[in-house]
Amino acid sequence: MGLAVHLLACLLGTGSWVAINGLWVELPLLVPSVPEGWLLPSYLTVVIQLANVGPLLVTLAHRFLPGRLNEVGLIYALLSLGGLACLLLAFFWGETRVVGGAPRSVALLALLFCLALVDCTSSVTFLPYMRRLRPPYLTTYFVGEGLSGLLPGLVALGQGVGVAQCLNGSQAEGNGTRLQAAYQAPRFSACAFFLFLSGMMAVSLAAFALLNHLPAARQERAKEKYQARLQVESPGGPRVTVEEGAVAHRPFPSSGRSWAQTAYVFGVLAWVNALTNGTMPAVQSYSCLPYGDLAFHLSATLAALANPLACFLGMFLPNRSLVLMGSLTLAGTLLASYIMSMAVLSPCPPFLHLPVGVILIVLCWVLFVGILSYVKLMIGMILRDEGHCALVWCGAVVQVGSMVGALTIFPMVNVYGLFRSGDPCHSSCPS
């Protein structure tokens, strides 16, 4: 297998969610300059859910117009739209218009919708496309998908976004001697950051073009399509050898698993994505900031690193065991429960003034993301064996799970105010 093809598959994966992930990490820099203020994350959550119309239409097209959708052309269009939207954001994100008697970031929100449409729809287009290549390239794609969160996070960290310095009252607006958090100026502007995102989308577009036209990549696709054979276990019968292309068009489940097992796999997929993409990101600051600014940044950065590392591990330790998948999901859920408990108890969680508190919260975030990233990789490998249709539904279930998780936590955070933020420079809790 060619190293170049692995690199191209990884670069395609980085284009899947890099734009929205980049926007999330850039929010501390955008919020002070837009009229929506800290309501902007709420708007972003709603916009992402509205953008799920993209995967819905693609899934319906596969269901009712089989073979009519030009998947390759759609991916070209999505990556081009994402790159263009990031480029326009670099110059127009701060533009406002009066709507309903109040200034609104119309350009920012419109371009956010375009980026969310690209990223949400990638779940039901990129994954099915990757089935055209040999199985190991799907794992490489998941590594790239993990990097789509890590790389913008590292750039934002270098930019200095959200890094606070604790100043006393005489330095910070004269409020006595109480320490207050003052966020330092970034090392480079939001414009430069969005240009970086646009460049990443352009690289992903170029990688996709090479995957379609590079002879080495086409050779890998030809091997899978015409030469590869699978050992398929018939229900109640012996294992038989069939052509890979034949399995690609059979209805799933087609590899010896029952409908109950298939429903279990999709249920786990929805639950895992509800946690990792919907619920837990909304409470990360509440769970970490009481322990200090360092705990928050370490948990965000190291957890983002855990995603591609878990997928990289899957290249050497592939596993399709449903029992292991369930055990890891349970472990990830228990870690999520601890994190959620710390968020609920904010701003006075246990071990507040002890190093063990910082170690526990950072370790829980890293293990939570790493374990459930490996679970998602396992499910991707399982559903790849089921064929193109299964991967389309895989992407759809990812989006449904993420949407349910986000809509569940949204009113708790933004409407009912069940969580309270910790101050990285001052604590009202007893020592």
Side-chain angles (χ1 to χ4, degrees), residues 246-315:
V247 175
H249 299 287
R250 287 175 58 186
F252 69 92
S254 62
S255 56
R257 292 186 178 88
S258 66
W259 276 106
Q261 290 174 320
T262 303
Y264 165 72
V265 170
F266 278 116
V268 171
L269 180 65
W271 173 250
V272 167
N273 281 279
L275 289 178
T276 57
N277 300 342
T279 304
M280 302 310 294
V283 301
Q284 184 167 27
S285 61
Y286 298 103
S287 67
C288 297
L289 277 180
Y291 295 103
D293 196 54
L294 177 62
F296 176 72
H297 283 284
L298 282 177
S299 66
T301 305
L302 295 180
L305 181 61
N307 188 322
L309 285 180
C311 296
F312 186 75
L313 178 65
M315 298 179 67

Side-chain angles (χ1 to χ4, degrees), residues 221-270:
R221 186 170 66 241
K223 287 179 182 179
E224 179 73 4
K225 186 173 181 181
Y226 300 114
Q227 298 173 17
R229 294 173 176 265
L230 288 179
Q231 293 291 324
V232 178
E233 184 175 352
S234 302
R239 297 181 66 85
V240 296
T241 302
V242 298
E243 290 292 338
E244 171 77 6
V247 175
H249 299 287
R250 287 175 58 186
F252 69 92
S254 62
S255 56
R257 292 186 178 88
S258 66
W259 276 106
Q261 290 174 320
T262 303
Y264 165 72
V265 170
F266 278 116
V268 171
L269 180 65

